[in-house]
Amino acid sequence: MSHSIRLAQAEDYPRIMEIWESAVLATHDFLAKEDFNYFKEVIPRDYLPHLEVYLLVENDQAEGFASVAEGNLEMLFIHNEVRGKGYGRKLYEFMKETTGLTKVDVNEQNPQAIGFYEKMGFTQIGRSEKDGSGKDYPIIHMSL
């Protein structure tokens, strides 16, 4: 597998959102349609330009992306078509080495993600009733 990881540029945002959409539709079935549309709008506009986003690229096609801010893994998404190939682990390990992340917040309604981070060595340390946008999606706070 000849994958590479590089920093994303603005021209990568459409593909990043394709990855986001495919991953979210596959794993976040609890997300209300209007909230899905809300995030689809605000992520490229309000989040991506202010974050260092890394892309996992396979055969010239971005298949995953991740970002860390202040030691917190803000996002890690893999395109649904290539899920289960170990890309999530590769991207996670790269982010850990590069950024020294120690924390991640996970939707409580996404048990697959919680299981993934537990495998990576995280422990649940807390819970919030609402997500970072103030929406009613409980968040599990995890730490290494």
Side-chain angles (χ1 to χ4, degrees), residues 11-75:
E11 59 265 26
D12 295 311
Y13 292 176
R15 177 60 183 168
I16 286 173
M17 293 314 295
E18 279 174 24
I19 295 168
W20 178 84
E21 191 163 330
S22 93
V24 167
L25 289 174
T27 56
H28 293 56
D29 50 10
F30 54 86
L31 199 59
K33 185 82 180 140
E34 61 267 24
D35 292 330
F36 177 84
N37 291 333
Y38 164 82
F39 287 121
K40 197 172 163 177
E41 201 173 290
V42 299
I43 289 171
R45 187 187 70 206
D46 302 342
Y47 290 91
L48 297 179
H50 305 289
L51 293 167
E52 272 200 343
V53 180
Y54 287 89
L55 293 182
L56 184 141
V57 180
E58 177 78 42
N59 303 326
D60 297 326
Q61 169 91 297
E63 297 290 13
F65 70 94
S67 182
V68 168
E70 292 167 7
N72 198 55
L73 182 60
E74 296 289 335
M75 0 180 160

Side-chain angles (χ1 to χ4, degrees), residues 55-137:
L55 293 182
L56 184 141
V57 180
E58 177 78 42
N59 303 326
D60 297 326
Q61 169 91 297
E63 297 290 13
F65 70 94
S67 182
V68 168
E70 292 167 7
N72 198 55
L73 182 60
E74 296 289 335
M75 0 180 160
L76 192 160
F77 290 97
I78 303 295
H79 198 288
N80 192 47
E81 284 167 14
V82 293
R83 246 174 54 188
K85 289 192 174 181
Y87 291 151
R89 176 184 290 266
K90 286 197 169 69
L91 192 49
Y92 165 75
E93 284 169 355
F94 172 88
M95 296 303 285
K96 188 167 183 289
E97 283 162 29
T98 308
T99 66
L101 68 95
T102 58
K103 303 187 298 281
V104 63
D105 290 339
V106 188
N107 287 103
E108 186 175 60
Q109 293 150 292
N110 186 358
Q112 276 181 324
I114 294 172
F116 171 79
Y117 291 115
E118 284 174 340
K119 259 192 248 162
M120 300 298 122
F122 284 85
T123 317
Q124 299 189 23
I125 54 162
R127 180 181 185 275
S128 300
E129 278 299 321
K130 294 181 186 298
D131 71 8
S133 313
K135 296 183 181 293
D136 286 317
Y137 298 109

